[in-house]
Amino acid sequence: MRFDLHSHTNCSDGELSPEELVLRAENKAIDVLAITDHDTVSAITPAKAAIKKHKLNLTLIEGVEISTSWHGFEIHIVGLNIDSNNSLLQQRLTQQIATRNLRAEKIAGKLAAIGFENCFDEVKKIAQGQSISRVHFAKYLLRAGHVSHIQQAFDKYLARRAKAYVAPMWISIEEAINWIHQAGGEAVLAHPTRYDMTNKWVKKLIEEFKLAGGDAIEAALPRQNKNELIQLVNYANQAQLKVSQGSDFHRVSPYTELGKTLDLPETCEPVWRNWTHLEQVSATINME
Ligand code: AMP
Ligand code: MN
Ligand code: MN
Ligand code: MN
């Protein structure tokens, strides 16, 4: 079975609609897809409806990617198998979106102070009423000709230590884990090697995540070399954490694709091993 347990739609900073995303997953022979938008679950209902409408042979895992603050870093915690209708979770995510909007206003203020006035209205238009991300600011800066590519917008203005960066005001890792557990899900530390921190800090992050009650870490990531995968599997085993895999798909590009090069070795405990709702799917697949 092919799993991709980390993906985005245009309900956050992805480009495909929920319907387009599930159709692409089917097209790329994914069996189990988690939609994990930043701080929102609003793609889940339309994605389910699209799976039904097109009679897709795809199991959808209800997910979310929650932003947290940890020692000045912005750490992402993925929740898998949450109940997206859980009202307490929904209330809490509404609060995260409020934090996101407040941060967006501050970023816009910093950009205005360095000469990019009135950018906020344009950014909101790009976000199309959905939760505002730094990616929407990056797109604005690109479209307005202030940078020549998205990465440059992050490097010059939006990334940590860049000119319009706003220090994180997110909840703690422990709170995010509790929110996910309360909604019936499992908490996964997203892309542990992609936070621009030394190995020593990555290890400390994984250890503290475990102490805070975390369940798994993402080990198989996109654009990854074999050593990184082996190292992350070792860290997971040492901390007695399960492992997950996900493309972190945001858009169609030559570099990223659903399910692309995601393979965990045998020497680890996949997060999905005890997911009973998959038994029916695997039985169907074996019969084919
Ligand atoms: P936000 O959730 O608003 O903090 O934005 C974070 C998102 O921006 C991540 O999920 C990525 O999609 C994207 N991102 C973060 N850093 C970079 C970067 N250096 N270059 C390109 N995209 C980035
Ligand atoms: Mn993103
Ligand atoms: Mn992330
Ligand atoms: Mn992501």
Side-chain angles (χ1 to χ4, degrees):
M1 277 174 58
R2 236 170 146 207
F3 291 82
D4 191 334
L5 300 178
H6 189 149
S7 69
H8 295 274
T9 73
N10 60 5
C11 293
S12 66
D13 59 355
E15 281 179 8
L16 302 189
S17 68
E19 181 171 18
E20 288 165 336
L21 182 74
V22 295
L23 284 169
R24 192 167 186 90
E26 171 92 347
N27 188 259
K28 295 293 165 191
I30 305 294
D31 299 298
V32 183
L33 175 77
I35 296 184
T36 55
D37 274 313
H38 297 285
D39 301 308
T40 176
V41 290
S42 57
I44 304 296
T45 301
K48 279 185 183 167
I51 288 171
K52 209 168 165 188
K53 177 176 142 196
H54 298 283
K55 301 192 173 67
L56 304 184
N57 196 3
L58 175 72
T59 299
L60 183 74
I61 302 297
E62 300 190 14
V64 66
E65 181 173 16
I66 300 178
S67 300
T68 72
S69 309
W70 184 76
H71 295 281
F73 292 100
E74 296 188 50
I75 305 298
H76 290 172
I77 309 295
V78 162
L80 297 177
N81 276 318
I82 49 165
D83 171 9
S84 62
N85 290 316
N86 181 288
S87 59
L88 187 54
L89 177 71
Q90 286 182 351
Q91 270 175 43
R92 287 165 159 171
L93 293 179
T94 303
Q95 190 54 47
Q96 280 282 98
I97 298 297
T99 305
R100 206 167 248 291
N101 290 338
L102 187 65
R103 181 185 68 152
E105 272 176 46
K106 290 189 177 188
I107 295 173
K110 286 200 168 186
L111 285 172
I114 53 177
F116 306 128
E117 280 157 29
N118 307 322
C119 68
F120 202 31
D121 286 342
E122 290 304 313
V123 170
K124 281 192 220 163
K125 269 189 224 158
I126 294 172
Q128 296 182 315
Q130 305 287 358
S131 85
I132 302 178
S133 156
R134 280 180 286 165
V135 173
H136 300 122
F137 279 94
K139 284 187 175 169
Y140 158 76
L141 290 165
L142 181 65
R143 283 179 200 179
H146 301 308
V147 293
S148 51
H149 49 86
I150 292 285
Q151 184 61 45
Q152 195 179 36
F154 274 89
D155 293 345
K156 275 180 98 166
Y157 300 108
L158 302 166
R160 210 156 68 94
R161 295 187 282 260
K163 284 181 192 160
Y165 184 68
V166 172
M169 309 172 286
W170 306 115
I171 56 166
S172 68
I173 289 178
E174 191 172 9
E175 272 176 287
I177 293 171
N178 291 341
W179 290 12
I180 291 163
H181 285 169
Q182 179 279 139
E186 285 165 278
V188 182
L189 176 62
H191 42 69
T193 44
R194 308 282 162 92
Y195 294 113
D196 192 18
M197 53 172 78
T198 61
N199 270 347
K200 206 171 149 188
W201 275 90
V202 173
K203 266 201 101 168
K204 184 176 155 77
L205 171 63
I206 292 171
E207 282 159 12
E208 288 196 20
F209 173 76
K210 169 73 182 182
L211 280 176
D215 302 290
I217 66 170
E218 285 182 348
L221 312 173
R223 302 178 304 281
Q224 180 178 49
N225 67 44
K226 194 92 188 155
N227 289 343
E228 186 185 68
L229 172 64
I230 291 165
Q231 187 187 40
L232 285 170
V233 165
N234 285 342
Y235 284 164
N237 288 340
Q238 279 162 22
Q240 293 187 295
L241 286 160
K242 290 181 274 189
V243 286
S244 185
Q245 61 183 44
S247 64
D248 204 0
F249 181 82
H250 282 75
R251 66 192 60 84
V252 177
S253 88
Y255 317 106
T256 56
E257 188 52 85
L258 286 165
K260 193 176 173 185
T261 66
L262 297 179
D263 285 304
L264 290 171
E266 295 290 317
T267 54
C268 54
E269 177 73 16
V271 64
W272 60 81
R273 187 157 282 162
N274 299 320
W275 290 0
T276 48
H277 50 292
L278 296 181
E279 279 163 18
Q280 212 184 340
V281 188
S282 73
T284 325
I285 288 167
N286 291 341
M287 269 163 48
E288 282 166 357

